[in-house]
Amino acid sequence: MSPHSELESAIADVIFLGNERKIPLRGLASLTQATPNQAKRALDELKKLGYPLRLSRAGIVERLPFRPIDVQKLKAELTTERIGRRIEWRLHVNSTQDELKRLEDEAEDGTVLLAETQRAGRGRLSRSWFSPTGGIWMSILLKPTWPTSHQILILALAAAVARVVGNMTKLPSVLKWPNDLMVRSRKVAGFLAEAAYQGNQLDRLIVGLGVNVNIEMTRLPEGLRGLSTSLSHELGRDIDRTMLARRIVEEVDRSYRDFELGRASELLDDIKRLCSTLGKEVEVRTADGAFKGEALDVGRDGQLIVRMPDGAILPFHTADVTHVRQL
Ligand code: BTN
């Protein structure tokens, strides 16, 4: 972690987890071993992430009402077998993926780590993932016992989240291959799988999922507006993040058990039912170039199967896809 993010985290902890609602900037700086200027810069970063705080002219930092995910309630109400038997919560981290990686040796299969904000959230294909207050930023540690490829599992977990979002909000939630969750053609959630191998054997899998829940569009970086959305924006009201997180963990647990029980073909049927990419003309961008064709199917390993204009049928395992039009 960089010193900047450590300072931001330390300052966020003092303001939002401490007993005092107000604290002088100088006091905050000395508590966190920073200069007042460094502390002020950190406050500015936290504000950009949506933390409700005010710095008065007199140099007093004030915490405004803030409602984090209620992790005690989440734990108390959870009824899962594997996922979420241990749940860790943090306020501000670099990335929940890295934070969970720190625990991976001692933590059991299914451990979940949630954070209110991420300073350097990661997306697929080395992109960054903007993670302000109001989202669900979650990583799940899996210690695999299965011998097969895990691509279907990730798609199945994305499908599980799509079902929860659809049921809880009644918004039309679909999957854009490989694993973007879309509402009205805009991205509302994304999934990231980071695997570690021992030789050829898959040893650890950390699955990250990010859901834009209660986030105002004006908070999103300009480049993301038009491409991304949030559930609160689509619904016109905020939703209970604690309940949504609980339902996600429960549905992910169900799909994980189905996967372990070898029910990959049922999971695949569900994925195909939710996958809005199928039947569309798509542009697929890979390291070898861009291809246009018709998305026909999702294969048994989660690959997208595309018919090229010359009739050739190609499978794509990792790629970025744009929907060109409905066929
Ligand atoms: C994508 O669509 O590109 C994947 C986005 C994954 C974001 C989540 S948020 C929680 C976890 N921690 C991260 O740094 N990334 C994932």
Side-chain angles (χ1 to χ4, degrees):
M1 222 197 268
S2 76
H4 287 303
S5 56
E6 274 170 18
L7 178 60
E8 276 173 31
S9 297
I11 286 188
D13 283 354
V14 173
I15 301 174
F16 292 97
L17 305 181
N19 292 330
E20 305 302 327
R21 201 167 53 79
K22 293 184 179 181
I23 181 169
L25 179 66
R26 288 190 169 277
L28 182 64
S30 80
L31 263 180
T32 53
Q33 291 163 9
T35 66
N37 266 341
Q38 288 169 329
K40 178 153 183 329
R41 273 199 298 276
L43 289 176
D44 289 340
E45 292 304 315
L46 293 172
K47 266 194 189 169
K48 280 189 213 152
L49 285 170
Y51 279 102
L53 57 89
R54 199 161 36 210
L55 175 60
S56 73
R57 279 171 197 270
I60 304 295
V61 182
E62 184 184 1
R63 166 180 83 209
L64 304 173
F66 177 57
R67 240 182 113 192
I69 287 181
D70 185 341
V71 81
Q72 295 314 329
K73 187 165 184 254
L74 171 64
K75 284 180 183 169
E77 291 177 352
L78 206 60
T79 56
T80 55
E81 284 184 16
R82 298 286 292 280
I83 310 290
R85 279 190 305 198
R86 172 172 173 190
I87 299 187
E88 295 284 326
W89 176 89
R90 307 278 188 274
L91 188 61
H92 181 51
V93 297
N94 241 18
S95 157
T96 55
Q97 297 288 102
D98 298 339
E99 202 66 22
L100 187 51
K101 216 166 271 169
R102 291 178 184 211
L103 306 177
E104 69 179 354
D105 287 336
E106 44 110 355
E108 61 184 321
D109 174 64
T111 298
V112 168
L113 191 140
L114 285 154
E116 289 301 312
T117 51
Q118 301 182 110
R119 184 177 201 272
R122 283 201 291 282
R124 285 177 62 242
L125 309 171
S126 311
R127 294 184 184 128
S128 62
W129 181 263
F130 180 61
S131 319
T133 55
I136 290 182
W137 320 126
M138 179 190 292
S139 294
I140 306 171
L141 173 66
L142 302 179
K143 293 189 166 173
T145 51
W146 61 83
T148 45
S149 140
H150 60 271
Q151 298 307 330
I152 277 293
L153 175 62
I154 309 307
L155 280 167
L157 300 189
V161 177
R163 278 196 305 274
V164 173
V165 167
N167 288 337
M168 199 167 149
T169 64
K170 307 293 172 230
L171 291 168
S173 326
V174 291
L175 291 179
K176 175 170 165 280
W177 188 92
N179 39 36
D180 289 349
L181 174 50
M182 312 293 285
V183 168
R184 302 185 180 123
S185 304
R186 293 195 176 152
K187 179 160 171 170
V188 78
F191 301 81
L192 172 73
E194 294 181 325
Y197 291 84
Q198 289 266 355
N200 285 335
Q201 189 68 32
L202 179 62
D203 184 41
R204 308 277 160 87
L205 193 58
I206 297 188
V207 182
L209 65 100
V211 189
N212 296 340
V213 188
N214 301 326
I215 299 175
E216 285 171 24
M217 286 299 95
T218 48
R219 196 158 291 291
L220 290 185
E222 250 167 56
L224 289 182
R225 295 182 205 161
L227 298 173
S228 296
T229 189
S230 70
L231 297 177
S232 61
H233 180 73
E234 297 300 323
L235 282 171
R237 62 176 165 85
D238 279 2
I239 63 172
D240 181 339
R241 282 186 306 140
T242 305
M243 189 194 291
L244 180 59
R246 172 169 66 77
R247 294 210 183 152
I248 287 175
V249 174
E250 287 171 350
E251 202 61 25
V252 160
D253 183 64
R254 194 163 303 137
S255 294
Y256 185 40
R257 274 183 290 140
D258 283 347
F259 177 74
E260 287 199 309
L261 290 169
R263 299 194 183 129
S265 75
E266 285 94 324
L267 292 171
L268 185 56
D269 287 346
D270 197 38
I271 292 160
K272 289 186 197 179
R273 201 173 46 75
L274 286 163
C275 184
S276 65
T277 306
L278 300 184
K280 292 221 167 71
E281 184 184 345
V282 289
E283 185 178 283
V284 188
R285 288 176 302 282
T286 71
D288 299 326
F291 305 84
K292 262 193 188 165
E294 179 189 356
L296 292 181
D297 203 0
V298 178
R300 283 176 46 184
D301 284 332
Q303 70 276 39
L304 186 67
I305 298 177
V306 181
R307 180 167 38 222
M308 299 291 129
D310 65 1
I313 300 210
L314 296 185
F316 292 93
H317 288 267
T318 17
D320 218 14
V321 162
T322 310
H323 293 175
V324 179
R325 67 189 166 102
Q326 184 76 49
L327 290 171

